[in-house]
Amino acid sequence: MELRISDHVKRALLGLFITIGMFLKVQMPWNVIIPADSLDAKGLMLKKAIVIRLMDEFACKKATKDLGYFMAVTTLESIGEGRVRQNSGDVLFPVVFSGITFKMYRGEILQGVVHKILKHGVFLRCGPVQNIYLSHIKMPDYQYVPGENGIFMNDKHSKIDKDVIVRFIVIGTKWMEAEREFQALVSLEGDYLGPVS
């Protein structure tokens, strides 16, 4: 028996995948250093100081190759015993926290916004990823239309223009260590891919 899925159900499933596919819940160990002058004699403000410092450091880290882009700290799971650093008097606390990260995977279907159009393809943004390239070779049926603001258009008058939202499939990603960010190559080859109306 063959199971047939209607186009409406396929679109709903695709939308669900887009919504939850690229976010990861992670649990990470971290070392938080609290300056001696921020310590309260009664320890009442210690947890708050640790959380604030953790969030600042988490935001500055940006991304890692394994986990992707750091989006949010959700829960402080545990705070270990603090150790005083001899030179400064600051206290180092080992902590474990949960957080949300964003990472693209090959074969994943996502949406991005076109921010640059060239004769040989377009650049898109998706969440924190700024360098997503869609080559004209991976846009079946679309042709480049030159002009003051060039666009890609197909026979059905569907346009890929600046600021248009495009649904695509990821065909590869690359981690750039120096910039601490990812680049991605994407395609429109597949069902329900292309400009989103």
Side-chain angles (χ1 to χ4, degrees), residues 106-152:
R106 183 180 180 162
E108 190 169 32
I109 296 171
L110 301 171
Q111 291 182 8
V113 177
V114 176
H115 69 92
K116 190 174 191 180
I117 298 177
L118 305 170
K119 182 178 180 180
H120 297 289
V122 298
F123 283 94
L124 302 111
R125 294 184 179 113
C126 176
V129 184
Q130 300 293 309
N131 293 309
I132 300 169
Y133 183 66
L134 171 60
S135 170
H136 73 285
I137 296 168
K138 295 296 183 180
M139 289 188 262
D141 304 327
Y142 283 87
Q143 302 297 321
Y144 180 71
V145 179
E148 186 177 327
N149 297 317
I151 62 170
F152 280 88

Side-chain angles (χ1 to χ4, degrees), residues 28-46:
M28 295 178 57
W30 205 273
N31 288 323
V32 177
I33 298 171
I34 303 296
D37 59 357
S38 296
L39 295 172
D40 183 347
K42 296 178 183 175
L44 298 175
M45 300 302 285
L46 181 60

Side-chain angles (χ1 to χ4, degrees), residues 44-126:
L44 298 175
M45 300 302 285
L46 181 60
K47 187 172 182 178
K48 181 178 178 181
I50 289 173
V51 169
I52 290 170
R53 189 69 171 213
L54 175 63
M55 291 174 73
D56 287 345
E57 291 176 14
F58 186 77
C60 292
K61 182 105 172 153
K62 190 174 179 180
T64 67
K65 182 179 181 179
D66 296 329
L67 298 174
Y69 291 88
F70 297 124
M71 303 301 289
V73 173
T74 56
T75 310
L76 182 59
E77 302 291 341
S78 66
I79 301 173
E81 188 175 319
R83 292 186 300 273
V84 177
R85 301 178 98 190
Q86 291 180 354
N87 296 342
S88 64
D90 297 343
V91 182
L92 183 140
F93 291 93
V95 300
V96 176
F97 70 94
S98 293
I100 304 293
T101 64
F102 177 99
K103 188 173 181 185
M104 298 173 128
Y105 290 96
R106 183 180 180 162
E108 190 169 32
I109 296 171
L110 301 171
Q111 291 182 8
V113 177
V114 176
H115 69 92
K116 190 174 191 180
I117 298 177
L118 305 170
K119 182 178 180 180
H120 297 289
V122 298
F123 283 94
L124 302 111
R125 294 184 179 113
C126 176

